Amino acid sequence: MDVSTLEELPPSCLDGETEQRRLAEVSRYAMTQDRSDPNLDYITELAIRSVGADIGGISIVYQSQIWLPSRVGMEERHVPRSGSFCTWAVGAEGDWFEVADASSDPRFRTNPLVTHAPHYRHYAAVPLSGARGYLLGTLWVMRREAGSFSPDQAMLLKGMARLVVDTLELRYCNDITGMSNRNVFLHHLQLGLEQTRLPHVMAGYIDLIGFRQLNEVFGRNAGNQALRIVGERLTEWAGASNLVGHLGGDKFAFALFGDRAAQAVSLERLKNELSAPFTLEQGGTQALHARIGVEHHDTPYLGSAASLLDAAETAASSISSAMLRTTVKEYGFELLARSHMVFELQGALDTAPAAGATAQHGELVAHYQPQVDYAQGRLIGMEALVRWRHPSRGLVAPGSFIPLAESTDKIYDIDLRVLTQVCRDMRSWLDAGLPVVPVSLNFSRRSLLHADLLGDLKRLLHTYRIRGELLEFEVTESQLLETLELVSPRVAQLRALGVRIAVDDFGTGYSNLDAINSFPFDRLKVDRQFVHGVAGSERVAGLFRLIQGIAELFSAELLCEGLEHEADLAWLAERGATRVQGWYFSAARTSEEIVAILAALRARGSGAAPLTIPELRALLQS
């Protein structure tokens, strides 16, 4: 901090130790100056309208600058910390900060927002306090006229500020440990790879052994306590100069920058830290072990953070879970197995689609997960999900081979294989007189932008005599953000063929409302993290309502993914969210099973009464 600005800051901002801890807290969130969060934008707009303000925003205090990840009424994404309203609001005592007339206040009368037209005078802010108690910034609003807000208006803004913090925590942090989630961990690791001057990086993937049994025997609360203990140990072990993250469930990650020999010593210490016994509130003294996969690389490293973590995960997954001790394995030992899997995957792709599962390397097939409108009692669509039917491994889930395909330029072949099967299956269903519903496909970014996609799609639509309206392509938020200028024209080309467009995994990316406003779309798919458990979490419920409002704003159909529990269904029903997809109604089904479902619907006849929820479940799960 520049010494010349100290007299312009409130005294509580000068505590160096507290400041360092607060800055560490801010770093948990993967926010950058050039990205806007759609949920934060929505809260800001609601805050301004609800109290009759003119402008507003969300400010994050960081070092010598103020970040504005959301703002309405001003263009600046960051402003100097010196002399800012936000700095004084964070440094003040209490949960409310208000300036009735900034033009007569010596702290702010020279602020550009006050001195320049339209000369804002009234300022009010609620400090944002993170889950660990550190102040992050403010939710603020301003008006042109001097004055003050009523207690009710202040209470309303305080409630919205709590929702801002909840949004940050849910989007960027694991809700059990408070550690950075996968997206944030990869974000900071990528920055570290690009900026480090240290000679070596080691990325690690931790998979706890025995956690599922502990969770089942002693209950979820005990399991969550164990995860928090592991997270605390990992954080303390890594120190402030390295990275750690909680990837979800019993999976963690870390990255060390520095000398390789020193990292080897640290890794031995980590094994001891993770294996040390701990005491649970229920369950007494317990111990967990871990499979730790690591990937080393000298810097500069030109690959991606995701590839480093994927390599470490591959190494960890090769360790037998039957080993009753914490074990470390380097990725180098897995190169042969990886190469063999690539060879088998290519063999499966070379297998003719109609050859059957007796092929040497198996075959790639599409399964279909139903989508229903339970209020209307009908099937409204299906999502095609790829599976690898392997002769020795059984049915292999996509998470085991899709990342491999993406890293070896085979992903378009897989996506095209799925599209071909979907068109072939739909033609078969149509020829049999079955009531066919639209099928959605989630293509990778590389496939969506592939030069041959439009030609291949037109060919398949012509060959199988399929109308484009029976297909839906899903575009994720990250695809919009990373390649908006390329995705938008491609979406227009797909829509020209009649294909429907859905924005998938909404709420999990970094895109802004301008991004999804850049092209027309038909459906907004709510990610499962905003559906699963929504009935029991006020925070998740609040974020769901925001997303529902965004769908209404764009006049888009809302589809809720990941519905698994009856309580969540009842909560959604009360709020008119009736279109869902998830295990509560059905898992993904084979094409043969879908034929039986469609045949049963045909047998009911077009004039039959709508199916009840139990009848829908019975039909789709039979």
Side-chain angles (χ1 to χ4, degrees), residues 69-146:
S70 174
R71 65 250 179 258
V72 174
M74 62 182 296
E75 295 297 325
E76 291 81 0
R77 293 183 181 273
H78 54 93
V79 297
R81 182 172 173 180
S82 172
S84 69
F85 286 91
C86 181
T87 299
W88 283 91
V90 168
E93 297 291 336
D95 60 355
W96 178 255
F97 184 81
E98 189 171 22
V99 180
D101 187 355
S103 64
S104 61
D105 191 312
R107 297 172 298 177
F108 308 116
R109 60 191 177 197
T110 60
N111 188 291
L113 289 172
V114 180
T115 59
H116 292 66
H119 306 290
Y120 297 105
R121 299 172 66 188
H122 177 212
Y123 172 90
V126 183
L128 303 175
S129 182
R132 306 184 193 186
Y134 297 106
L135 293 175
L136 310 173
T138 62
L139 169 65
W140 60 271
V141 295
M142 294 189 78
R143 296 189 296 184
R144 295 182 181 89
E145 289 75 27

Side-chain angles (χ1 to χ4, degrees), residues 72 83 110 162 165 171 191 205 223 289 314 319 350 438 441 547 570 599 601 606:
V72 174
T110 60
R162 183 66 258 170
V165 175
R171 292 289 298 278
L191 289 178
Y205 183 94
H289 301 287
T314 300
I319 303 172
D350 291 339
L441 303 101
I547 296 173
L601 289 173
S606 59

